[in-house]
Amino acid sequence: MQIDAEHWLSSARRCPSPHFNERPTGEISLAVIHNISLPPGEFGGPWIDRLFLGTLPASEHPYFASIAGMEVSAHLLIRRDGELVQYVPFDRRAWHAGRSEYQGRSNCNDFSVGIELEGCDDQPFEAIQYAQLAQVLQALWRRYPDASGKLAGHSDIAPGRKSDPGPCFEWSRLHALMPAAAAPEPDKTGCRGE
Ligand SMILES: [Zn+2]
């Protein structure tokens, strides 16, 4: 897996989002893991792309009305079947973390890469998603050495406000695929299917 000169992952489908801007210092020193599904708990469909493109149709589902018009994005999405979709080049600032703090530093969007797993808090993720995530992280760490081993869940940088990637995300499973990762301890409570 390679990251090209324009900071796009060669193996990802490109779906350029308008929701990005410049990183204040250019620093890339953290990867933040999220989950997302639209509508919540349903997988497949075009809606995550549409949210990050700013074209989610509010009329299509009651939940969409509450989030349509939000200007959000992530750098990368890993779908249930392992497909990689990239919305923002890694050297630009995507809008995924919101109000957040990592090791005493706020505004994590400034210096982090946002990686969404298609999923939700109460269902296990797919094996292919862990495998792809491990490959993506290793490609990121090769290209952006300041980010090596720096990994957090959205819930770690926005505690009380965000719960993703959630109790079903098995940090230990990611560790096993990528022994160098410095990830939070696993918390499996509340995961349906385990
Ligand atoms: Zn999140």
Side-chain angles (χ1 to χ4, degrees):
M1 206 172 279
Q2 300 284 336
I3 296 169
D4 72 16
E6 274 69 53
H7 303 270
W8 294 87
L9 200 60
S10 53
S11 51
R13 173 166 64 83
R14 293 187 193 188
C15 187
S17 168
H19 302 158
F20 71 92
N21 51 14
E22 298 300 318
R23 296 182 183 277
T25 65
E27 175 184 341
I28 301 174
S29 59
L30 176 67
V32 178
I33 310 303
H34 303 258
N35 77 42
I36 187 170
S37 53
L38 289 177
E42 293 182 26
F43 305 140
W47 308 126
I48 301 170
D49 288 356
R50 298 284 298 270
L51 176 67
F52 292 159
L53 291 173
T55 63
L56 189 69
S59 58
E60 202 69 34
H61 186 279
Y63 179 73
F64 294 174
S66 68
I67 59 167
M70 286 179 68
E71 295 188 335
V72 293
S73 62
H75 291 92
L76 202 66
L77 169 68
I78 305 177
R79 303 212 69 153
R80 305 293 291 184
D81 63 0
E83 184 193 19
L84 303 171
V85 188
Q86 187 166 354
Y87 303 93
V88 175
F90 297 119
D91 64 330
R92 307 298 166 91
R93 177 168 62 184
W95 302 342
H96 57 96
R99 187 160 39 83
S100 53
E101 185 178 307
Y102 178 75
Q103 295 184 345
R105 300 177 65 196
S106 57
N107 300 319
C108 296
N109 284 340
D110 291 353
F111 55 90
S112 68
V113 168
I115 302 173
E116 301 274 358
L117 300 173
E118 187 181 18
C120 54
D121 284 7
D122 62 359
Q123 291 187 52
F125 293 89
E126 301 288 345
I128 186 76
Q129 293 182 291
Y130 288 97
Q132 290 285 60
L133 177 57
Q135 293 294 312
V136 165
L137 288 171
Q138 288 172 85
L140 283 170
W141 295 354
R142 280 196 303 270
R143 180 63 182 270
Y144 312 109
D146 290 349
S148 287
K150 305 280 190 58
L151 203 49
H154 199 185
S155 57
D156 299 312
I157 62 168
R161 193 174 69 80
K162 292 292 178 180
S163 60
D164 63 310
C168 289
F169 184 74
E170 299 174 60
W171 291 100
S172 58
R173 193 167 172 180
L174 181 63
H175 272 297
L177 293 166
M178 204 182 45
E185 287 301 305
D187 173 8
K188 295 187 178 183
T189 54
C191 182
R192 190 189 336 147
E194 285 196 1

